[in-house]
Amino acid sequence: MTVQGRAQAIRAADPDAKDFLISSRIDRLPLTRVQWELAILVEITWGFIVVDTDGIGARLFPFVWRPLGTITNNQYAVIQALQVGLGVLLGTYLMSFVADRYGRRPAILLSTALAGLCLWPFAFVTSFVPLVIFSVLSTLGVGGIVATHAVYLSEMSSHAVRNRTMLTAQGSTAIVGVLIAGVASVMMPTYWREFVWLGVIIQAFVLLPILYWRLPESPRWLETHGRHDEADRVVSDLERRVTAIAGALPSPDPTPRIVGKAGKGQLLEILTNPEYRWRSILILVCWLLAYPGIVYGSGAFMYVYMVDHGADAEFAFRLLTGAAVVTFFAFLINARLGERVERKTVLFVSALIFSTAWILMYLYPTEAMFIVGICLSRIGTALFLFNMYNYTAIAFPTRIRSAAFAWTDGLGHLGAWAGVTSLGPLYQLGPNHLGWVLFIVVPGALLPAILIKSFGINQSERVLEEVAK
């Protein structure tokens, strides 16, 4: 389409939008501490919600529930599956609705509140049936932050620094992992109740107020909802703050960008548009495989596997602390690559790293190999997960981004639900838990990586409105 044709199309879609050039003004902003503050704040929130709340069962089972004799391996698999499956799925759909209807900011705030306030029962309950109920409630906020964090960051970043900003900020989640694992190594299992309460305090009473005061709404979301004056105010404030740091800004690209107005029927557009339908099916299949494999499947029994080979709580949590430090530097290396390497290639390499690590730990389940293997496997999981988050968010236009994220990543948690439920029997199948290792490596890591590498779209160095037009 010619520039003139695109201009006519954008004016026909929304006559008021032509005067604001919201996306072009965002894309011209040089990278400063203004963008870093927003990105790191959102990702630190993700880190505490997911690493602490979503991982609470994996920490408590081998060191509290199993020693007390209250929860069996199979019951734990059910609890973990409900936590990472049903709870996250419901939270993803609930918050994606909030994010599309009321804004990205309210969805992030509500997710943080839910995650913090619904965590406290784990400090008191150790029996199966109540844990089943609270496992679902506690992860509603997890699903919410999963559904919104990459969506928000992709809309606040320019294409020139998108990968660097997002992945470096997402590396802060590894620092959160260091803090949580370090505290756990001191407090667990003796002070496990206090450990749970500490997570509640940080999420509900520290992060939530900071987010409320420092996080603006996404101007791209405001634009798609016809709220041009509000979008202009947010971008003008960003421009003012960036100018104070970096000096005069270049003129925005005057080429009209077809944003499209949000409305009802986002899911219908995903299903009826051939391009979006194909993208969503491919991404959904990859999430269905990856969640019970490289993401939750490995984490669910990682501590148990080490304990069954002689590790104690101090060794396990100190090792995870070190692994989180190494993972942080892996994030920085990935971020330095910027847009020079396609995201789907990074996904493929991450899955190879993860698979190699677990094959080695299966063949040589020694303390020395755990130190190497756990570090490599956590790098593989973290880089795969966050690159897949970013790939999913960037694959769809702003008007349907949250709905598409829920349709793909959200439904993908059904794989976590079914797959993690089966991990209890699989963990006991074959010599040295071979059934579990094969499951997380082959269908859980290598297959989704091959699919996305072979059939995924290219995203590097492409304007958000063009890659997801």
Side-chain angles (χ1 to χ4, degrees), residues 221-240:
W221 179 85
L222 291 168
E223 184 183 31
T224 62
H225 285 73
R227 294 161 63 174
H228 304 297
D229 290 328
E230 294 174 66
D232 178 61
R233 282 196 294 271
V234 174
V235 175
S236 296
D237 182 61
L238 293 174
E239 290 170 336
R240 177 187 57 78

Side-chain angles (χ1 to χ4, degrees), residues 42-256:
V42 169
E43 289 307 322
I44 285 178
T45 302
W46 183 100
F48 273 103
I49 292 176
V50 174
V51 177
D52 190 26
T53 303
D54 202 21
I56 195 66
R59 289 185 181 85
L60 294 179
F61 172 65
F63 305 114
V64 178
W65 299 340
R66 191 163 74 164
L68 288 174
T70 58
I71 303 296
T72 66
N73 275 0
N74 289 346
Q75 287 176 327
Y76 165 63
V78 172
I79 290 170
Q80 187 73 356
L82 288 171
Q83 201 167 31
V84 303
L86 181 60
V88 176
L89 175 63
L90 293 176
T92 299
Y93 274 95
L94 172 64
M95 292 307 144
S96 68
F97 169 79
V98 173
D100 268 333
R101 182 73 177 271
Y102 301 104
R104 315 311 195 198
R105 181 176 181 272
I108 293 173
L109 294 176
L110 184 55
S111 298
T112 308
L114 284 172
L117 296 176
C118 292
L119 182 62
W120 67 267
F122 283 88
F124 303 99
V125 177
T126 59
S127 55
F128 177 64
V129 174
L131 283 174
V132 166
I133 297 171
F134 292 127
S135 291
V136 175
L137 293 177
S138 68
T139 47
L140 292 175
V142 175
I145 199 66
V146 164
T148 52
H149 76 111
V151 167
Y152 181 83
L153 294 188
S154 67
E155 293 173 2
M156 299 298 288
S157 305
S158 74
H159 61 282
V161 300
R162 184 171 55 210
N163 214 40
R164 180 184 172 192
T165 308
M166 293 176 73
L167 280 165
T168 304
Q170 287 162 347
S172 65
T173 62
I175 300 301
V176 174
V178 170
L179 295 174
I180 292 175
V183 171
S185 69
V186 175
M187 300 182 71
M188 294 283 287
T190 305
Y191 301 103
W192 64 275
R193 288 187 172 88
E194 290 81 358
F195 176 78
V196 174
W197 270 106
L198 184 60
V200 175
I201 292 169
I202 291 173
Q203 293 176 51
F205 300 104
V206 177
L207 288 174
L208 185 58
I210 295 174
L211 288 166
Y212 180 83
W213 290 109
R214 301 300 298 173
L215 204 68
E217 184 55 84
S218 162
R220 281 183 162 108
W221 179 85
L222 291 168
E223 184 183 31
T224 62
H225 285 73
R227 294 161 63 174
H228 304 297
D229 290 328
E230 294 174 66
D232 178 61
R233 282 196 294 271
V234 174
V235 175
S236 296
D237 182 61
L238 293 174
E239 290 170 336
R240 177 187 57 78
R241 295 172 62 193
V242 170
T243 299
I245 299 168
L249 300 175
S251 299
D253 179 4
T255 306

Side-chain angles (χ1 to χ4, degrees), residues 16 74 112 121 123 155 176 191 195 200 232-233 259 312 347-348 350 375 384 417 439:
D16 296 328
N74 289 346
T112 308
E155 293 173 2
V176 174
Y191 301 103
F195 176 78
V200 175
D232 178 61
R233 282 196 294 271
V259 176
D312 58 14
L347 288 166
F348 181 74
S350 301
C375 287
F384 185 96
W417 188 359
F439 181 85

Side-chain angles (χ1 to χ4, degrees), residues 425-455:
L426 281 174
Y427 185 76
Q428 302 170 68
L429 180 65
N432 193 22
H433 316 292
L434 178 62
W436 170 66
V437 174
L438 283 178
F439 181 85
I440 63 175
V441 167
V442 181
L446 295 177
L447 183 54
I450 292 170
L451 288 174
I452 207 78
K453 180 70 169 66
S454 301
F455 303 108

Side-chain angles (χ1 to χ4, degrees), residues 270-412:
I270 297 169
L271 297 177
T272 57
N273 183 300
E275 181 63 29
Y276 299 150
R277 183 170 64 242
W278 165 245
R279 292 184 192 181
S280 63
I281 291 172
L282 174 64
I283 295 171
L284 172 59
V285 169
C286 291
W287 279 124
L288 284 169
L289 295 168
Y291 268 130
I294 190 172
V295 181
Y296 290 122
S298 62
F301 281 89
M302 175 179 60
Y303 291 104
V304 183
Y305 187 76
M306 287 191 287
V307 169
D308 285 346
H309 287 284
D312 58 14
E314 183 179 9
F315 172 81
F317 286 120
R318 285 187 176 179
L319 175 54
L320 266 292
T321 303
V325 173
V326 175
T327 300
F328 172 72
F329 288 103
F331 269 111
L332 295 184
I333 293 171
N334 191 182
R336 290 290 295 176
L337 294 176
E339 298 286 312
R340 295 190 297 273
V341 179
E342 277 294 338
R343 194 165 286 108
K344 60 183 184 179
T345 300
V346 177
L347 288 166
F348 181 74
V349 173
S350 301
L352 286 179
I353 293 172
F354 170 88
S355 301
T356 301
W358 275 108
I359 291 171
L360 289 174
M361 285 188 285
Y362 171 78
L363 295 174
Y364 309 102
T366 64
E367 183 175 297
M369 185 54 71
F370 283 150
I371 293 173
V372 175
I374 291 296
C375 287
L376 289 176
S377 72
R378 300 315 291 169
I379 288 172
T381 294
L383 293 187
F384 185 96
L385 178 63
F386 280 99
N387 277 284
M388 194 66 190
Y389 279 150
N390 300 342
Y391 181 92
T392 302
I394 294 168
F396 300 96
T398 301
R399 65 182 179 276
I400 60 170
R401 185 166 293 118
S402 285
F405 205 99
W407 171 248
T408 53
D409 175 273
L411 275 182

